[in-house]
Amino acid sequence: MFDPNALLRTHLQKLVPYSSARDDYKGNEGVFLDANENPLGSITEEDWNRYPDPYQKELKARIAQIKGVRSENIFLGNGSDEPIDLLFRAFCEPGKDNVIINPPTYGMYKVSADINNVEAREVLLTADYDLDMEVIKSAVDENTKIIFICSPNNPTGNDVSLDKIEEVLRFFKGIVLVDEAYVDFTSRHSFALRLEEFPNLLVLQTFSKAWGLAALRLGMAFASEEILAILNKIKAPYNLSGLVQKTVLKALENLEKKDRMVDQILKNRESLGEALKQIPMIKTICPTDSNFFLVKLENASDVYKKLIEQKIILRDRSKVALCEGGIRITVGTEKENELLIKALKNLN
Ligand SMILES: *Cc1c(COP(=O)(O)O)cnc(C)c1O
C-alpha cells in the first residue's frame, strides 16, 4: 500500500502545525475576540476585516461539483507554484533526495527544485515528445520522491501517451505529479477522475489558462486525503486571500462563459494552424492539444526579435533542448492572430 507519510521528511513527521483562530469554533455567528482583528470594519468600501477560511470550504465544494471529485481530494494554492513548492518541502530532503522531470517542459519544476536545493534529474522526452520509459526507469533510485509529467506539455503542446502515464503511476513508488494546466483544450479525460485507482497520483490544474483568471493566482491540486493532509499541515494558514475566494466563487456561477471562451479558442487554434501552414519559413507545426503551437523555423531568434520590434511578443524556445528553432505561439483573438500572420508574411 502506498503511504505518503513514509515519504515525508523526518523533521515533519513530528511537526505541530499552526492552529488558526477558528479551529475550535466553526460557526459564523458569535462574538469574535480571538484573532486581534479590527471589529469596526475596513478602510475599503467592502469589509475584509475578518481572516478568510484557511481551508476554502465553500470554494472547494463548488469546484468539487464542477470537476466531479470530492472536496476532500482538493487543495487550493496561490497559483500552481504553491503546491509544487509544498511538495518539495514536504517530501524532498535538500542535498539528498531527487525528482525526475522530462524536458522540454514547464520551467517551474526545475526552478522550484533549485530553490529547495533538490536534484532534478532530467530525462529528455523522445523525438516525438513522449515519455522515455526506459530512461525514466533507470533514472529512478531509492531517493527519487517525485516524477513530474506535464500533459498537455508546455512548450511542445501535445498530450503524452496515456498508457505511459499509467505505467509510471504503477511502477513508481513515490508521487507522480500530472500537470494538467491545459486540460480544457484537450479531448482526453482528466486524471483527477482516477484518484481511487492511483493513490500516488497528484493532478495539478489552474485557473490561469482556460478560465482567464491568471492575475488572481489560483491553482488546484487533486490527490488522496493522505497526501493533501500533508500539504495542509505545512502550508501558510491563510494561503488564499478572501478576495480571491469570494471573486472565484462568484465567477463560478458563469460556467457557460468559460465554455464559450474555450470553444472560441479552439476555433481560433484551428484557423491559426491553417494560416501558419501557408508561411514558407515555418518548417514544422507541432501537433497541439493546448492553447498554443510550437513551430520551428531556421532563423527563429531573428524572427522573434523582428516581431518584438513590431510589438508582437512570442516565446523564443529555440535554445531549449529538442526545441531547436522553436517558437511558442499562444492562440490569440482572431484579430491578434491576423496581425501575427500578416507580420510573418511581411518578413518573408
Ligand atoms: C501556465 C502553467 C501553469 C499555471 O501556473 P499558475 O501558477 O497556476 O499560474 C502550470 N503548469 C504549466 C505547465 C503551465 O504552463
Side-chain angles (χ1 to χ4, degrees):
M1 248 310 277
F2 175 78
D3 176 13
N5 291 299
L7 295 177
L8 193 60
R9 292 168 67 193
T10 37
H11 74 286
L12 293 176
Q13 291 177 350
K14 37 186 190 308
L15 175 79
V16 180
Y18 180 79
S19 74
S20 84
R22 302 289 136 81
D23 280 349
D24 297 327
Y25 178 74
K26 307 288 181 207
N28 291 322
E29 302 297 317
V31 179
F32 291 106
L33 304 177
D34 57 329
N36 302 345
E37 296 153 334
N38 185 331
L40 305 177
S42 309
I43 61 166
T44 40
E45 208 165 304
E46 191 170 356
D47 279 340
W48 300 104
N49 53 325
R50 300 296 176 184
Y51 278 95
D53 177 3
Y55 297 111
Q56 308 102 20
K57 286 183 287 294
E58 258 189 290
L59 184 52
K60 280 180 186 167
R62 182 72 183 111
I63 293 172
Q65 261 181 345
I66 293 169
K67 296 286 176 182
V69 301
R70 297 163 60 240
S71 269
E72 293 80 359
N73 297 119
I74 304 175
F75 175 90
L76 300 177
N78 183 3
S80 309
D81 306 331
E82 185 183 357
I84 292 172
D85 179 63
L86 289 176
L87 287 169
F88 280 105
R89 288 163 58 194
F91 299 112
C92 301
E93 203 55 46
K96 175 178 169 230
D97 289 331
N98 67 76
V99 302
I100 291 178
I101 62 176
N102 299 276
T105 193
Y106 185 44
M108 202 56 206
Y109 315 141
K110 171 86 166 85
V111 171
S112 203
D114 288 347
I115 290 170
N116 286 286
N117 189 25
V118 170
E119 179 195 357
R121 297 193 170 169
E122 306 198 357
V123 177
L124 284 187
L125 294 174
T126 57
D128 58 349
Y129 297 144
D130 209 347
L131 297 175
D132 195 332
M133 293 305 299
E134 287 315 305
V135 185
I136 290 175
K137 283 180 183 169
S138 61
V140 168
D141 66 18
E142 75 273 14
N143 293 322
T144 307
K145 295 300 183 70
I146 309 169
I147 298 181
F148 288 85
I149 297 172
C150 189
S151 186
N153 185 42
N154 178 4
T156 60
N158 62 298
D159 263 319
V160 303
S161 308
L162 282 188
D163 33 326
K164 289 189 178 174
I165 299 178
E166 291 171 9
E167 196 182 337
V168 174
L169 282 160
R170 292 207 178 89
F171 95 81
F172 182 53
K173 301 293 174 244
I175 291 189
V176 180
L177 180 151
V178 179
D179 188 340
E180 296 185 336
Y182 300 99
V183 73
D184 301 87
F185 305 106
T186 176
S187 50
R188 72 163 172 85
H189 292 300
S190 168
F191 269 91
L193 301 172
R194 301 177 68 182
L195 296 175
E196 301 269 324
E197 204 179 329
F198 303 114
N200 58 341
L201 168 66
L202 183 141
V203 177
L204 276 188
Q205 290 187 16
T206 180
F207 281 92
S208 296
K209 307 289 159 61
W211 297 88
L213 297 173
L216 291 185
R217 312 306 300 131
L218 183 56
M220 296 166 267
F222 304 98
S224 72
E225 287 183 59
E226 290 77 14
I227 294 175
L228 297 189
I230 292 171
L231 301 190
N232 280 321
K233 207 164 128 177
I234 65 171
K235 78 179 180 78
Y238 307 104
N239 59 323
L240 281 197
S241 80
L243 184 57
V244 166
Q245 295 187 45
K246 189 169 175 185
T247 309
V248 175
L249 196 57
K250 181 98 179 64
L252 291 179
E253 291 167 12
N254 213 351
L255 291 186
E256 313 76 47
K257 174 155 188 197
K258 180 254 195 179
D259 292 339
R260 279 202 308 278
M261 291 196 292
V262 168
D263 286 347
Q264 181 71 54
I265 290 167
L266 291 177
K267 231 176 88 200
N268 294 0
R269 177 176 87 183
E270 174 87 22
S271 43
L272 178 60
E274 287 305 314
L276 289 169
K277 280 188 202 159
Q278 312 302 320
I279 311 280
M281 76 186 161
I282 294 180
K283 303 298 174 211
T284 312
I285 305 167
C286 298
T288 185
D289 301 296
S290 48
N291 66 337
F292 57 86
F293 285 97
L294 181 68
V295 301
K296 294 187 184 163
L297 4 73
E298 255 151 41
N299 42 355
S301 290
D302 290 346
V303 170
Y304 168 75
K305 284 182 200 132
K306 283 187 185 143
L307 288 174
I308 286 216
E309 283 166 20
Q310 302 177 51
K311 298 196 174 139
I312 297 178
I313 301 93
L314 306 180
R315 187 87 156 123
D316 184 3
R317 301 280 80 184
S318 60
K319 307 286 183 292
V320 173
L322 293 184
C323 292
E324 290 79 9
I327 292 183
R328 196 189 68 195
I329 306 174
T330 305
V331 176
T333 63
E334 282 172 274
K335 186 82 212 282
E336 289 169 332
N337 297 342
E338 267 169 38
L339 288 171
L340 168 68
I341 294 295
K342 211 162 108 193
L344 284 169
K345 282 185 174 153
N346 287 336
L347 290 182
N348 272 331

